Every structure is written in C-alpha cells, then in structure tokens.
Amino acid sequence: MKYLPISNTLFLNNRKNFVRRTKPNSLAVFHANDEFPKNGDQTFSFKQNADFFYLTGIDQEQSILILYPDCPNPLYKEVLFLRQTDEHIAVWEGHKYTKEEAREASGINNIYWLHELDAVLHSIINYADNIYINTNENDRYSYTVPYRDIRMYEQLRQRYPLHKYERSAVILRELRAVKSDIEVELTRKACEITRDAFVRVLKFVKPGVAEYEVEAELTHEFLRQRATGNAYSPIIASGPNANVLHYVDNNQVCKDGDVLLLDFGAEYANYNADMTRSIPVNGRFTKRQREVYDAVLRVMRGAAAMIKSGAVLTEYQDEVGKLMTGELIGLKLLDRHDVEKQDAKMPLYRKYFMHGTSHHLGLDVHDFASRYRPFEVGNILTCEPGIYIREEGLGIRLENDILITKDGNIDLMADIPLEAEHIEEIMNS
C-alpha cells in the first residue's frame, strides 16, 4: 500500500458496532474481493472489498474474517484468515502480511493461515444459530458474476442447510453512512490531494493540450502524494464532450474557446474524493460561459446549504430543482409560462440537468447508504449541480464534498478554487 498506516482503532470500533447489531449467537463471514483475470496470466490491480476493509483494515487478496462474539471457544470470537506467504510468492509477488503485521493493522489477535479455514469454521459453526453473509446490496449494482461472498453462501447452504441465514448489508448500510473522525480525516486527505492536482492542472491547461495529457497530470500528482490513484475513471471532457455525463474516452484536443469539464478525485487509503470543476481552456470565460457558470455556482451554494441532518433526499432534490428552474429561466433556456404548465413528474429543468444533485461518499464513490433514510450527522455527501446545453456545445458542472456535523455542514473542498475569477487568475498567473 502506498498510503500511511491507519490507526486500528477505526477497525476495532467498526467491528464492535457491527456485532452489537447482530442477533444473539450469530456468526458472520466476510471475504476479500476476488482477483479478476485481465488476460493471459494477468489480473487487474487488486481493489479490496469495501466492507471487508471497513471491518479489518486489511488490504490483501484471499483474506477472510469470521466474527462470532458468542462463540463458546474464546479463540474464535474474532478470527482473520490470510494467504500464507512463502519464498516463491515473495519472489514473484512481493511482501504479504505477516501475522504480526495483520494484528497491528486490524487489531485482531487471532490470525490463521487460509488453509486452516475449513477446520476452524467447522469446529464452531454448528454452535451458532444464525450465519450472517455479506452481499453487495448497493442499489446501483446488480451482479451477473457470482462473487466470493455469493459462492461462500452457496457452499454454506449445502453444508449447513438448517442454519438461519441473515444479511450483513442491512447493518452495514447504516454503519458505513456515518463517518467516524478517522474516516473524515482520510477523506480530507483525499480532498487535499485532489486540490493539489487541480491547481497543477490549472497551470497546465491551454489550447492544444489533449484531454489524456490532463488526465496524466492528475494521476501524476495523485501518485506523488501516496494516493492509490484515481477514485474512479476521470472525466476530462472538453467542449461538447461535457454533455456526455460519463465521458471517459479523454482522447480529444482541448480547443481555444471551449470549456473543459473535469470530474475526478483521489483515492487515499481506500477513501475517496469526488470533485468537478469546469474551466476555460484559454484561461478566460466568454460572457455566455460565465453566465452559465455563475448560475450553476448559485445552485451549488443553495443546494449545499440544504445538506443538513434530517433532510430527505427526494425532498432535497425537488428543492434543488426549483433553484435550477429559476436559473434556467434566467438563462432563457426555459420559459416561465411553460414551467407553470409543466408535469410535476417530468419537470422541464431535467432537459438541462438530468442527474441527481448528491450521493453519499466514502469507501465507495457512490457509497453504501439508504436513499430513503434522512441525512444525519456524520454523512459525507457530494453536491454537484450542472447545466448541459447540447445546442451550444457547453456543459458546466461543479461539485464539492460536504460533511454534516451537529453544528451544521462543512465543505471539505472549501479551499479548492471555485470562483470563476479565482480560476482565471491561476490560469493566467
């Protein structure tokens, strides 16, 4: 791992919070992510399962966690299984966790090698009444390939058909949405690296630069500061490309007079930043570009003020829609009389602002949380309105990450250039 060590207090507390919410006499099993084949004898770069990392701090493949707080054998109340390294693995793949290192990282005392899993699990599982299995219940995802947790579930059901099986995701959906102080600091670090990458790009962009060159500058700064890399595939969209919401080709040349939309963020210690800025390729916004930019910025500030404990996502989005509608009327993109007659289920602003304003952020960029649960203290949410005008070849989106506290909210990206004048000043310095 490139990032600096994390206090295992985070993972100790996460496990305590999880087992407190399980039914009495329950055993829970968690798996590291699969290693996915790329081609031939290669695999994609390993990315840890977010839930597994949340509970262990272990960033290594082929790892398994068992939690059984009521286990009659105290040795197995909390057990971590690791791939046992050897000289061959050390030569070909490099260093793997020793048991001592895994204890320090996770705070779990009882560490075993993976080949001991079956014997340990079989010796305790029949004393448990319930078995918690962790599946991906993020409602943005539907699996087609049976991942490791699903395969374990099928195996356990065959071997132990009379146990009652429970869902870990129901518990984790509540826990992961509320960030601890350590998680907030890790997210702040990701935001700081993202800030530095953006300032670097502001000094780099000019007419004739290719989108992929801008992507290279961002990635350079991320890796230079111990980030794992990009939190997600960066969107480097110049001119009309900005109207493609998930544009990731990043293969065009940035032209004089165009606006460049940059949607990117650093991943640090598995925690993510998510930021969007729109900048003039030549260092100066045109009058029309500035009008649209300022309209988006006003909506962003109005929306950010609504991100507070107790707010409900659907109601919040409706209120943001009203702000956006007013701005679109001001830009002469919508007619006030047409708006008065619009179908409330299909508001006209959606033609120019067709995506949601906010999502939870954390170990996943679209973090695991309920879209129906009111916002609460400890949530980190994005705030990302945009206006996309296809007929003008112009798309502008702005995005910051907002932490809700008991005293109001905190913009974790408040120190990242946002005002149009500030952006122009840096680009022309």
Side-chain angles (χ1 to χ4, degrees):
M1 287 72 71
K2 298 180 178 72
Y3 55 86
L4 296 172
I6 304 168
S7 169
N8 63 28
T9 302
L10 171 62
F11 312 111
L12 286 162
N13 288 335
N14 290 347
R15 292 194 299 275
K16 287 177 184 175
N17 289 332
F18 176 82
V19 298
R20 277 197 204 107
R21 289 164 171 78
T22 58
K23 294 180 178 180
N25 202 31
S26 294
L27 180 150
V29 184
F30 294 89
H31 286 264
N33 261 344
D34 280 304
E35 299 160 89
F36 293 99
K38 189 173 183 179
N39 56 32
D41 60 350
Q42 296 183 9
T43 59
F44 285 98
S45 297
F46 180 71
K47 168 67 176 172
Q48 186 57 284
N49 178 287
D51 294 320
F52 185 85
F53 185 82
Y54 180 80
L55 294 169
T56 67
I58 296 297
D59 217 343
Q60 184 170 291
E61 72 285 353
Q62 298 181 36
S63 306
I64 298 175
L65 171 68
I66 292 178
L67 299 175
Y68 185 4
D70 296 325
C71 183
N73 187 336
L75 284 177
Y76 303 137
K77 290 178 181 289
E78 206 176 54
V79 190
L80 180 66
F81 295 88
L82 297 174
R83 178 186 183 192
Q84 184 174 8
T85 191
D86 55 31
E87 187 174 339
H88 176 80
I89 292 172
V91 168
W92 286 91
E93 299 181 33
H95 181 73
K96 302 294 178 183
Y97 283 106
T98 65
K99 290 184 177 182
E100 292 73 21
E101 289 168 340
R103 288 189 187 98
E104 178 61 29
S106 66
I108 297 171
N109 290 319
N110 296 309
I111 314 285
Y112 293 84
W113 298 126
L114 197 56
H115 66 79
E116 300 171 278
L117 171 67
D118 286 344
V120 171
L121 182 60
H122 186 69
S123 74
I124 59 176
I125 198 168
N126 287 312
Y127 295 95
D129 297 321
N130 313 295
I131 302 173
Y132 279 79
I133 298 294
N134 190 43
T135 53
N136 186 347
E137 294 189 18
N138 191 315
D139 54 17
R140 294 171 177 263
Y141 173 79
S142 178
Y143 84 89
T144 54
V145 177
Y147 49 90
R148 196 174 285 264
D149 291 298
I150 291 290
R151 298 197 303 273
M152 169 61 87
Y153 171 56
E154 295 298 339
Q155 293 170 18
L156 290 175
R157 278 186 59 192
Q158 290 181 7
R159 293 177 66 184
Y160 309 103
L162 299 183
H163 282 73
K164 185 176 181 183
Y165 289 85
E166 300 285 348
R167 296 155 56 205
S168 295
V170 176
I171 300 172
L172 289 166
R173 183 164 50 216
E174 292 188 13
L175 292 179
R176 280 183 48 189
V178 178
K179 305 302 187 286
S180 66
D181 290 344
I182 295 176
E183 290 178 292
V184 170
E185 288 310 306
L186 293 171
T187 307
R188 281 186 191 276
K189 179 64 175 176
C191 291
E192 289 169 3
I193 298 171
T194 301
R195 174 200 62 209
D196 292 348
F198 178 54
V199 172
R200 178 187 182 115
V201 161
L202 284 177
K203 297 175 181 179
F204 174 78
V205 168
K206 61 184 177 181
V209 163
E211 293 167 344
Y212 55 80
E213 292 181 276
V214 178
E215 180 179 354
E217 292 294 311
L218 296 174
T219 305
H220 182 143
E221 191 64 30
F222 289 169
L223 297 181
R224 194 179 73 82
Q225 296 199 41
R226 289 182 175 270
T228 308
N230 292 284
Y232 48 94
S233 296
I235 297 168
I236 315 295
S238 61
N241 296 333
N243 291 305
V244 181
L245 297 183
H246 290 159
Y247 174 83
V248 292
D249 290 340
N250 302 347
N251 61 5
Q252 299 300 302
V253 172
C254 301
K255 298 177 182 176
D256 191 357
D258 279 348
V259 168
L260 175 64
L261 188 152
L262 305 157
D263 188 336
F264 67 98
E267 177 193 286
Y268 181 81
N270 290 299
Y271 284 84
N272 299 286
D274 187 358
M275 189 193 81
T276 307
R277 291 292 186 270
S278 299
I279 65 174
V281 170
N282 64 13
R284 298 288 179 192
F285 289 104
T286 66
K287 182 175 182 293
R288 178 59 168 174
Q289 291 167 353
R290 180 63 185 272
E291 288 174 347
V292 178
Y293 188 98
D294 287 346
V296 175
L297 182 55
R298 285 190 292 269
V299 174
M300 180 187 184
R301 288 187 167 138
M306 299 181 211
I307 298 176
K308 55 187 177 182
S309 180
V312 177
L313 184 62
T314 52
E315 297 172 0
Y316 159 76
Q317 183 63 45
D318 288 343
E319 292 302 311
V320 175
K322 294 175 184 176
L323 292 179
M324 181 60 78
T325 298
E327 294 294 345
L328 292 172
I329 291 172
L331 291 168
K332 299 185 174 8
L333 293 169
L334 294 181
D335 181 87
R336 189 178 302 278
H337 298 294
D338 291 338
V339 169
E340 290 172 356
K341 297 180 289 184
Q342 71 183 354
D343 180 350
K345 295 180 180 178
M346 293 290 291
L348 295 178
Y349 81 82
R350 286 290 188 183
K351 177 181 178 182
Y352 299 100
F353 175 38
M354 61 291 295
H355 57 79
T357 309
S358 295
H359 60 77
H360 287 264
L361 179 72
L363 284 167
D364 290 308
V365 176
H366 294 124
D367 209 29
F368 190 34
S370 171
R371 66 179 66 199
Y372 304 108
R373 187 181 180 95
F375 299 163
E376 55 192 318
V377 170
N379 289 170
I380 299 177
L381 294 120
T382 63
C383 183
E384 50 180 310
I387 294 176
Y388 311 92
I389 315 172
R390 286 182 176 275
E391 55 270 30
E392 297 181 24
L394 176 63
I396 289 179
R397 181 167 66 250
L398 300 171
E399 176 184 17
N400 277 8
D401 302 335
I402 310 296
L403 167 68
I404 300 176
T405 77
K406 60 182 176 60
D407 299 316
N409 68 36
I410 296 173
D411 187 341
L412 298 177
M413 293 181 160
D415 62 344
I416 301 179
L418 179 62
E419 291 282 354
E421 292 94 340
H422 192 189
I423 286 170
E424 289 179 337
E425 179 185 350
I426 297 172
M427 294 187 76
N428 290 283
S429 60

